[in-house]
Amino acid sequence: MNHAIVKDDMTERLARQIERLVGGRVTMLDRQPRWRTSWYAEVSRDDRTIPLYVRGDKGIDAETFPGLAREAGILRLLEQGGIPVPHVYGMSHDPEGIIMDRVPGTRDVTEAANAAEAQRIAEESVEILARIHSLDTAPFVAAGMVQPQSPREIAFSYLTPNIAIFRRLKKTPQPMMEWALRWVERNVPQHRTRTCVLHGDPGQFLFQNGKITTLYDFEATHIGDPMHDLAALRLRHPTEPLGADPNHLVRHYARTTGMEIDQKAFSYHTATFMLASSMTLAAPMANPGPVDMQYEYIVWDILCRRALLWAIAEHMDVTIPTSAPSEPADSRSRIVWEILEATVARIDTGNSELGENDRRSAEKLVQWARAEAAMRQEHGAADLDRAAAFLGYRPADWREADAAVENFVQTAGPDHDAILLDYFARQVDDRMAEALPARERLTQYALQPFVP
């Protein structure tokens, strides 16, 4: 092959597999600067150009439903069911990736013609979600999906595989996760028995000329309570706006389907969705490997924990108090941080987009570390004092506190929920205050109450 765009052995191997599956000749193959491997490609065939997208592996050992082949099979079943998804040509296995059509459109709802068009696009995405929920589950079960039966199995349909990952990778105490797991176990909505095919992580769509062109990212697709998908929408909106208020979209779903929104179940599934995300991140963030050392992972760890706690508070009909985050104090060491910031800014990334992304992340991490260093002593002492209030003694440091609090939650009952909720919420607020470059994003994950 003679592809000027191929720059290494990996893309050379990928180009050969694309040509085998799609036919024609690869004329463009461009690695995308994302945290997961992916490529844009073009194939010339029959005097036309076919734009392609290759969705690669995350490269982490913490996927809820592992295997890109599973997602490829789901996309095929959804296409057969009339859902607008990319057409799949097949799987590349070295490197691993789904070779599919690259569908035109944008996810950025600010590019809609106006607010009314953005809202209509968002409503259309929910209508398509309702169509997914109406699909026969039998073909998906035949393809290997688990069909939950009891109310607990339904409530835990997304949690169960994440719990297995959490238990397998857990190496350090995780008191918040252990408490939340006991909370969701005690509060299973026993009256919820309906199941359907779920997107799993909805709100991911492209649109063009005011119309949805495709839905994407079906790696979390499973069978469970439709409330799971509606709960997940409210968590996507703060950082990737949907085009309309999540409450409006939930009400639109109710009008479209005739389903009444169960507010307690809605809060419960918000909590389980964020608990699953938090557990997935907990172990890697406690002992990160090279792949896990990503700025975005630290941000997501905090925002998932915060949304989890707010969802539990919503279910408990209590309010988590908010406070203005303090600013890092000035110190003599500021010159060290300023020199470090200037040094990172001078790093030559060779006009590499991946390199530029890493440099920008490094700049944010310097700001974060500077704030954390300035606040560490005050926050650490306050956390130990709060733990002492219910443990009966003051742990020597944060590691001892984590172990002691985890032991405490093993036997704590619902009468301790309010105390523990307050403890973990204040702990997360301290981490938010330290996360100087990500504060605005994190603040948005205080859940907006649902109004029917």
Side-chain angles (χ1 to χ4, degrees):
M1 296 186 331
N2 182 23
H3 301 309
I5 42 79
V6 175
K7 298 180 180 179
D8 54 44
D9 289 342
M10 178 185 288
T11 48
E12 180 75 20
R13 294 193 304 272
L14 179 58
R16 283 197 291 265
Q17 293 185 74
I18 291 172
E19 291 181 343
R20 174 178 58 83
L21 291 166
V22 182
R25 182 174 62 88
V26 172
T27 56
M28 188 272 279
L29 187 54
D30 186 21
R31 172 80 178 269
Q32 298 302 294
R34 297 195 62 219
W35 55 274
R36 79 181 294 155
T37 55
S38 59
W39 292 263
Y40 284 167
E42 289 181 356
V43 167
S44 176
R45 190 185 73 185
D46 301 328
D47 296 324
R48 67 188 184 98
T49 297
I50 302 173
L52 301 171
Y53 178 69
V54 182
R55 179 172 168 84
D57 196 358
K58 282 183 178 178
I60 61 174
D61 184 26
E63 292 189 82
T64 307
F65 303 108
L68 285 170
R70 177 186 186 275
E71 186 175 357
I74 289 167
L75 286 168
R76 290 190 176 102
L77 289 172
L78 292 171
E79 184 180 23
Q80 292 168 16
I83 305 301
V85 295
H87 173 72
V88 172
Y89 293 90
M91 287 289 301
S92 164
H93 297 291
D94 181 22
E96 188 168 4
I98 307 172
I99 298 170
M100 63 181 85
D101 277 332
R102 176 155 42 101
V103 182
T106 177
R107 174 57 183 81
D108 186 355
V109 291
T110 64
E111 295 187 23
N114 48 49
E117 181 177 281
Q119 177 172 303
R120 181 60 203 133
I121 290 163
E123 291 171 347
E124 184 186 1
S125 74
V126 167
E127 291 161 10
I128 297 171
L129 189 65
R131 284 162 50 194
I132 294 174
H133 292 176
S134 70
L135 294 174
D136 183 4
T137 59
F140 293 86
V141 174
M145 244 181 232
V146 174
Q147 172 63 64
Q149 302 293 336
S150 67
R152 185 195 179 280
E153 288 179 357
I154 294 168
F156 274 62
S157 59
Y158 189 60
L159 272 177
T160 296
N162 282 287
I163 292 171
I165 295 169
F166 175 67
R167 295 293 180 214
R168 176 170 56 84
L169 297 180
K170 182 185 174 188
K171 298 292 190 298
T172 60
Q174 295 287 343
M176 184 190 298
M177 301 300 101
E178 297 292 355
W179 170 69
L181 281 168
R182 283 155 181 77
W183 186 90
V184 296
E185 189 74 65
R186 291 196 303 267
N187 290 278
V188 168
Q190 297 293 334
H191 61 292
R192 302 290 298 180
T193 57
R194 180 199 165 190
T195 62
C196 62
V197 176
L198 302 173
H199 182 292
D201 192 11
Q204 303 192 76
F205 56 81
L206 301 179
F207 70 92
Q208 188 177 62
N209 300 324
K211 290 287 186 181
I212 298 284
T213 57
T214 191
L215 269 59
Y216 62 90
D217 196 349
F218 288 88
E219 67 181 355
T221 295
H222 62 287
I223 297 172
D225 189 328
M227 209 62 69
H228 168 99
D229 271 350
L230 299 183
L233 285 175
R234 65 197 307 211
L235 279 309
R236 180 166 295 279
H237 182 69
T239 55
E240 196 173 15
L242 298 166
D245 180 84
N247 281 346
H248 171 79
L249 295 179
V250 172
R251 292 192 294 267
H252 184 72
Y253 178 94
R255 288 191 296 270
T256 300
T257 62
M259 184 183 80
E260 183 179 350
I261 302 302
D262 182 328
Q263 292 194 54
K264 282 287 188 182
F266 189 48
S267 299
Y268 178 87
H269 280 281
T270 304
T272 58
F273 181 78
M274 295 319 301
L275 174 56
S277 300
S278 297
M279 287 192 302
T280 300
L281 289 163
M285 289 297 93
N287 186 27
V291 176
D292 305 316
M293 291 184 176
Q294 306 282 344
Y295 171 79
E296 281 298 313
Y297 287 177
I298 310 175
V299 175
W300 273 91
D301 182 48
I302 299 175
L303 66 83
C304 289
R305 287 170 183 259
R306 188 165 195 252
L308 163 63
L309 295 171
W310 279 72
I312 292 175
E314 182 179 69
H315 189 281
M316 292 171 58
D317 293 321
V318 300
T319 301
I320 293 177
T322 58
S323 58
S326 56
E327 296 301 317
D330 192 15
S331 71
R332 292 182 186 277
S333 65
R334 66 180 176 79
I335 186 61
V336 176
W337 294 105
E338 290 171 0
I339 291 172
L340 179 56
E341 288 171 348
T343 303
V344 171
R346 289 196 302 268
I347 293 174
D348 183 3
T349 60
N351 295 321
S352 161
E353 195 166 354
L354 283 169
E356 280 297 315
N357 285 341
D358 280 344
R359 188 179 61 78
R360 285 192 292 269
S361 291
E363 289 174 342
K364 293 175 183 176
L365 287 166
V366 170
Q367 297 175 42
W368 193 325
R370 182 178 184 178
E372 193 274 340
M375 300 177 183
R376 180 190 303 128
Q377 186 172 355
E378 178 185 350
H379 287 173
D383 187 68
L384 296 176
D385 290 342
R386 291 191 292 266
F390 58 86
L391 291 175
Y393 75 98
R394 192 177 192 273
D397 56 34
W398 69 271
R399 291 185 185 276
E400 183 181 326
D402 277 1
V405 175
E406 179 167 297
N407 286 336
F408 181 86
V409 304
Q410 304 287 348
T411 57
D415 53 318
H416 289 104
D417 282 343
I419 295 169
L420 290 167
L421 176 65
D422 180 73
Y423 171 74
F424 293 125
R426 292 177 185 276
Q427 191 177 74
V428 170
D429 273 353
D430 284 349
R431 291 187 65 192
M432 275 186 58
E434 295 162 4
L436 201 60
R439 273 188 192 172
E440 184 177 353
R441 287 177 60 188
L442 294 169
T443 301
Q444 293 172 341
Y445 270 74
L447 293 177
Q448 173 188 352
F450 174 63
V451 180

